[in-house]
């Protein structure tokens, strides 16, 4: 495995920040990006990812894994289910939780990296400030890294630069890394609107992060 990095690029602000983090850490020529077409209702995410990779001038591949909608039950891949801010009374999770999504993304990303001898994966998951998605927690990612290293017999490392950052700190990091111009192309809104709806939980969280950091969201300019 070599010292290059593959960034899981969703088209959102966190993965975009991670893309610039990886460029800073591994060098521009050693970074590429991978985007999953997982049947998300908001196809705009894919357009955003392609545009962000172009602005950052890194290669991007879109990998189709269109299986989640067939599993059913989540609001991100199922047209009939509206995004709700209320939490499920049994699981304590919002209905935007897609079970196993990050586990599957990172496992496919590792397989993609393995075939290209890429030694580092970068993902924008964070356990702070979020909806409590269990597949974003540090413990989950550590376990998955161990499983990947054992299961592929390869020294692939998973980096989570945003794991312990608040949204405010993530915006500050993006600013420091020069990621704000790409941030204008990112997509966050759970309702798939551009310009963003401003009301959904994802829009609210994003707005609060920028406000607290004292930075104007380039998406709104
Ligand atoms: Zn929204």
């Amino acid at each position: 495995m070599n010292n290059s990095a593959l960034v899981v690029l969703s088209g959102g602000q966190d993965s975009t920040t991670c893309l610039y983090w990886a460029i800073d850490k591994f060098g521009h020529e050693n970074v590429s990006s991978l985007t999953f077409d997982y049947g998300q209702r908001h196809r705009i995410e894919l357009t955003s990812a392609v545009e962000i990779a172009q602005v950052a001038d890194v290669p991007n591949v879109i990998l189709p894994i269109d299986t989640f909608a067939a599993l059913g039950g989540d609001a991100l891949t199922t047209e009939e289910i509206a995004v709700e801010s209320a939490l499920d009374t049994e699981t304590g999770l919002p209905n935007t939780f897609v079970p196993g999504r990050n586990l599957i993304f990172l496992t496919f990303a590792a397989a993609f990296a393995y075939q290209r001898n890429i030694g580092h994966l970068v993902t924008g998951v964070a356990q702070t400030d979020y909806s409590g998605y269990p597949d974003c927690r540090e413990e989950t990612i550590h376990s998955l890294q161990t499983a990947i290293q054992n299961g592929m017999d390869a020294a692939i490392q998973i980096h989570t630069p945003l794991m312990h950052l608040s949204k405010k700190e993530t915006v500050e990091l993006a600013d420091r890394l020069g990621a704000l111009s790409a941030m204008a192309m990112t997509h966050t809104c759970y309702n798939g609107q551009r310009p963003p709806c401003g009301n959904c939980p994802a829009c609210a969280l994003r707005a609060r992060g920028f406000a607290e950091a004292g930075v104007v969201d380039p998406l709104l300019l």
Side-chain angles (χ1 to χ4, degrees):
M1 294 292 134
N2 63 33
N3 200 38
S4 59
L6 178 70
V7 179
V8 180
L9 186 64
S10 71
Q13 70 176 120
D14 291 339
S15 63
T16 301
T17 304
C18 284
L19 183 63
Y20 282 79
W21 179 88
I23 290 169
D24 187 60
K25 183 175 173 70
F26 295 95
H28 188 260
E29 67 284 5
N30 296 316
V31 175
S32 56
S33 64
L34 183 66
T35 300
F36 291 101
D37 179 354
Y38 64 96
Q40 56 270 63
R41 289 160 62 188
H42 303 325
R43 310 303 290 168
I44 189 176
E45 287 179 16
L46 299 174
T47 316
S48 290
V50 169
E51 288 175 356
I52 292 157
Q54 277 170 357
V55 167
D57 194 23
V58 297
N60 177 260
V61 170
I62 294 181
L63 204 62
I65 46 165
D66 193 1
T67 310
F68 289 107
L71 301 176
D74 77 85
L76 293 191
T77 64
T78 309
E79 195 68 53
E80 296 74 29
I81 302 178
V83 173
E84 285 172 21
S85 47
L87 304 181
D88 185 286
T89 47
E90 244 171 65
T91 63
L93 291 167
N95 70 356
T96 49
F97 177 57
V98 183
R101 181 170 54 164
N102 278 322
L103 305 178
I104 291 163
F105 281 6
L106 286 167
T107 303
F108 269 120
F112 185 94
Y114 181 97
Q115 299 289 23
R116 290 155 185 81
N117 221 23
I118 296 170
H120 302 270
L121 301 180
V122 186
T123 171
V125 297
Q127 63 182 24
T128 36
D129 243 7
Y130 276 70
S131 311
Y133 293 166
D135 58 348
C136 291
R137 291 189 299 224
E138 189 164 45
E139 193 188 340
T140 304
I141 302 297
H142 274 162
S143 311
L144 184 62
Q145 177 177 278
T146 303
I148 285 169
Q149 290 179 349
N150 287 334
M152 298 188 191
D153 197 15
I156 295 174
Q157 283 182 51
I158 304 178
H159 301 265
T160 56
L162 311 185
M163 181 59 79
H164 300 290
L165 301 187
S166 67
K167 274 287 173 191
K168 169 181 182 272
E169 290 167 325
T170 298
V171 171
E172 289 167 347
L173 178 64
D175 193 12
R176 258 201 324 278
L177 293 168
L180 287 185
S181 54
M183 209 58 82
M185 285 119 200
T186 57
H187 179 74
T188 301
C189 180
Y190 274 154
N191 289 317
Q193 294 177 21
R194 196 176 187 176
C197 80
N199 295 318
C200 72
C203 276
L205 191 60
R206 176 171 176 139
R208 204 177 73 217
F210 275 95
E212 287 177 5
V215 174
V216 177
D217 186 344
L219 178 60
L220 306 176
L221 289 176

